[in-house]
Amino acid sequence: MTPFLQFRLWIREAPAGERTVALCLAIVVMTVGAWSLVSVGPAGPPTSVGAASPTGGQAASSSPRTSGHHGRAAGTGGGPAVTGPSTGGEVGAGGHRAGVKSGSTTPGGASVRHGRSSGASAPDCGPGGSTDQGVTDKVIHVDVDVANLAGAAGNGLVGLPDAKVEKRMFGAAIDYVNRHGGVRCRALVAKYYTANPLSQSSLEALCLDMVADKPFALLDEGLASPVGSPTPRDCPPSHKLPEFGSLSLSQREVEQFSPYLFAYNETSEQIVHDSILASDQLRWFKGAKKVGLLEQDCIPDLNSLALADLAKIGFPKSSVTTFDFGCPNDIPSPITVENAVLRFKSAGVTHVLDDGGVYENYFSNDAANQHYRPKYMVGDQGSIALWDNRAFGPNPDNFAGALAITATQYGAENTAGATFNPQTHECDAAMKAKRLASATASPDGFAGVACTLVHQFVLAADNAPSLMRADLAAGLAAVGHADMPFPAGPANYVRSHGQYGGGYWRPDIWHSSCACFQLQRARFSPSFS
């Protein structure tokens, strides 16, 4: 179950004092989303902090224009773009295996532009005039929606900026793009909307208003809804309005709404796949007597995938105890969580994981009460961001040493000596110009979210074969591998046909001293096939 829906439902059911807090965190969490290769040690200082390249030293990096992404960046160094065929192996947080230098060509001969922020060659402006709706010879019109949970005070209860500040952060990222050449020689112009995630009917009406605007694309931070839930985010791509959002897509959505639905996170299926196979490589399962899998019956495909992957690594169904929390529409009651702990404890479960939900925080707190301490592993679909808030985090001591497999840069902001990539620094420069907090220091990392959504759109439009809505996915695919700003991890757009990011993973470890995840190592590894 994804955190966003969990908290939307909690908002409807919880006492009034809890509702605003819950919903704010839901929006924060919907922006993350799975993902590395070295032996996991006990809780303690991370084994690696800087993002080392595969050959040692700081990873080289291409430098796309804008920065941003909802997460916390992994350290990387600067340097020229790295080129060459993708050969697998580990990838530095700032490096590419198959990236293309700015201005160079792909195997098909198309020019690929990773950014023009500092002295790069002149862009390909493409045909003049209007090429599609929302495009003139001078500007490209986009719509932007931001979340307004319960007014400025409501957002502020959990550190989320109020809607006005959110708009300013998007504006800062867009202004940075325009100061550095615009998009295909055109200025990017935004029209802003505020979305109320509590009301699906209002979200649907909002979508239709934005569709009626006929913008070239939508940067979505307010419509997003998780896998298995009612889908207001399906509305824009259903009307052929390209939607760039932060929440992980299901493979079904990718196929159904191609080429108009985009995410900077990995798919939900790949998150589950990477988390189990990566944990096996990291020897997290060593000594496991029985594995406990927390499931939700509304996502049967993920349940089946998790069981199949566990069988591949030596844990057939007879070695796995499951507990079904029901549909993501049901928030686990205390008695349900207590029953899950009792079931696993009595079955002799030594290693606990889930198939993409966020139930391990509840489980850990009740396990502490029952003096039960298994090992935990998290496939990160938002958990790392959510559990930084102690009100919703696991029991700090019961959860100590837990492993998270993530495709994001979360954990670096809590890790001494971690550095951040050039894309994140560009986001920080964009925010500083408007006297706003940086990507990692902004409330809930929202500056990074704004930068990332803008950044992904600019990469798509700049590299599209034509300035047409249907060609944006081809534009991202032409980019190949790209580093993204904090909180996003590096993205393999070739593999996703330009529709979503991810493609890499790395491990974080939970530390009870800070009640937070920190980097276990900074280097990313490629996703498992």
Side-chain angles (χ1 to χ4, degrees):
M1 177 171 80
T2 53
F4 178 74
L5 182 57
Q6 184 177 38
F7 288 106
R8 275 177 55 181
L9 293 164
W10 193 351
I11 291 272
R12 292 203 295 266
E13 301 170 3
E18 298 177 8
R19 292 178 182 175
T20 305
V21 174
L23 180 58
C24 296
L25 282 172
I27 299 300
V28 175
V29 171
M30 74 180 177
T31 59
V32 262
W35 5 39
S36 169
L37 253 172
V38 28
S39 193
V40 176
T47 60
S48 176
V49 173
S53 69
T55 56
Q58 283 296 102
S61 171
S62 68
S63 183
R65 252 186 322 218
T66 320
S67 316
H69 186 127
H70 210 28
R72 290 141 196 183
T76 74
V82 173
T83 61
S86 180
T87 57
E90 295 172 343
V91 183
H96 311 321
R97 279 286 191 185
V100 199
K101 288 183 180 179
S102 179
S104 66
T105 58
T106 65
S111 176
V112 176
R113 295 175 297 282
H114 281 285
R116 304 188 295 276
S117 59
S118 56
S121 58
D124 172 14
C125 298
S130 176
T131 59
D132 200 344
Q133 70 177 42
V135 178
T136 74
D137 59 346
K138 302 285 187 184
V139 302
I140 296 176
H141 293 278
V142 296
D143 280 359
V144 178
D145 66 62
V146 298
N148 190 20
L149 305 177
N155 284 13
L157 284 177
V158 292
L160 189 69
D162 64 54
K164 290 181 181 178
V165 175
E166 293 171 357
K167 291 176 184 178
R168 288 181 61 204
M169 288 174 171
F170 271 104
I174 289 170
D175 285 350
Y176 187 88
V177 169
N178 291 336
R179 291 199 309 272
H180 292 87
V183 181
R184 302 293 277 264
C185 307
R186 295 162 169 88
L188 195 57
V189 176
K191 180 177 180 179
Y192 294 91
Y193 289 86
T194 56
N196 175 15
L198 279 173
S199 170
Q200 182 171 327
S201 61
S202 71
L203 294 179
E204 292 169 348
L206 178 66
C207 168
L208 295 177
D209 286 343
M210 292 187 289
V211 168
D213 287 342
K214 295 189 179 297
F216 187 60
L218 166 65
L219 307 184
D220 170 34
E221 196 47 39
L223 286 182
S225 59
V227 175
S229 71
T231 51
R233 74 167 172 187
D234 291 355
C235 171
S238 295
H239 292 84
K240 297 186 178 180
L241 173 58
E243 179 183 4
F244 290 79
S246 54
L247 193 65
S248 295
L249 305 175
S250 69
Q251 192 59 46
R252 177 194 61 79
E253 289 177 300
V254 171
E255 295 167 359
Q256 181 177 357
F257 296 108
S258 175
Y260 298 107
L261 185 59
F262 301 85
Y264 61 71
N265 281 327
E266 184 55 85
T267 63
S268 299
E269 290 87 350
Q270 190 67 48
I271 291 171
V272 172
H273 189 57
D274 280 351
S275 66
I276 292 174
L277 298 188
S279 297
D280 182 48
Q281 286 200 4
L282 294 166
R283 299 178 63 79
W284 178 80
F285 289 98
K286 183 179 180 181
K289 296 178 181 177
K290 198 155 196 178
V291 174
L293 176 65
L294 303 177
E295 296 181 331
Q296 304 100 58
D297 59 26
C298 281
I299 48 175
D301 291 347
L302 295 186
N303 298 336
S304 298
L305 174 61
L307 289 170
D309 281 342
L310 286 169
K312 287 178 185 176
I313 63 172
F315 295 95
K317 205 166 184 179
S318 60
S319 299
V320 179
T321 297
T322 62
F323 186 89
D324 186 357
F325 275 92
C327 180
N329 288 323
D330 297 321
I331 301 304
S333 65
I335 189 63
T336 301
V337 178
E338 182 179 357
N339 287 338
V341 174
L342 285 170
R343 178 175 175 81
F344 282 12
K345 185 178 180 180
S346 61
V349 168
T350 57
H351 291 60
V352 174
L353 63 151
D354 63 35
D355 57 4
V358 289
Y359 292 121
E360 288 177 77
N361 56 333
Y362 301 111
F363 188 100
S364 171
N365 282 300
D366 194 274
N369 293 334
Q370 298 191 41
H371 307 289
Y372 171 51
R373 187 171 180 172
K375 291 180 67 175
Y376 296 94
M377 187 274 286
V378 179
D380 181 27
Q381 297 209 44
S383 305
I384 294 181
L386 174 65
W387 295 345
D388 267 3
N389 185 302
R390 296 200 181 202
F392 300 100
N395 180 278
D397 295 321
N398 184 266
F399 210 63
L403 170 67
I405 302 299
T406 183
T408 74
Q409 297 188 65
Y410 277 111
E413 80 286 6
N414 300 320
T415 305
T419 57
F420 297 92
N421 61 17
Q423 292 72 27
T424 302
H425 294 316
E426 289 183 5
C427 183
D428 292 347
M431 297 302 140
K432 184 177 180 181
K434 302 296 182 180
R435 298 184 178 181
L436 295 166
S438 67
T440 56
S442 60
D444 289 322
F446 195 90
V449 178
C451 287
T452 297
L453 290 175
V454 172
H455 182 59
Q456 189 181 40
F457 167 75
V458 171
L459 285 177
D462 260 353
N463 293 288
S466 65
L467 203 51
M468 301 288 291
R469 286 168 290 157
D471 281 342
L472 289 173
L476 274 180
V479 170
H481 294 229
D483 289 326
M484 303 296 285
F486 178 95
N492 182 343
Y493 289 118
V494 173
R495 157 184 166 278
S496 71
H497 304 288
Q499 289 190 253
Y500 52 88
Y504 302 96
W505 59 267
R506 72 177 178 191
D508 285 358
I509 297 292
W510 179 269
H511 292 255
S512 58
S513 58
C514 64
C516 70
F517 282 103
Q518 297 179 9
L519 300 184
Q520 198 274 339
R521 104 170 161 208
R523 189 184 306 158
F524 283 92
S525 296
S527 286
F528 293 87
S529 60

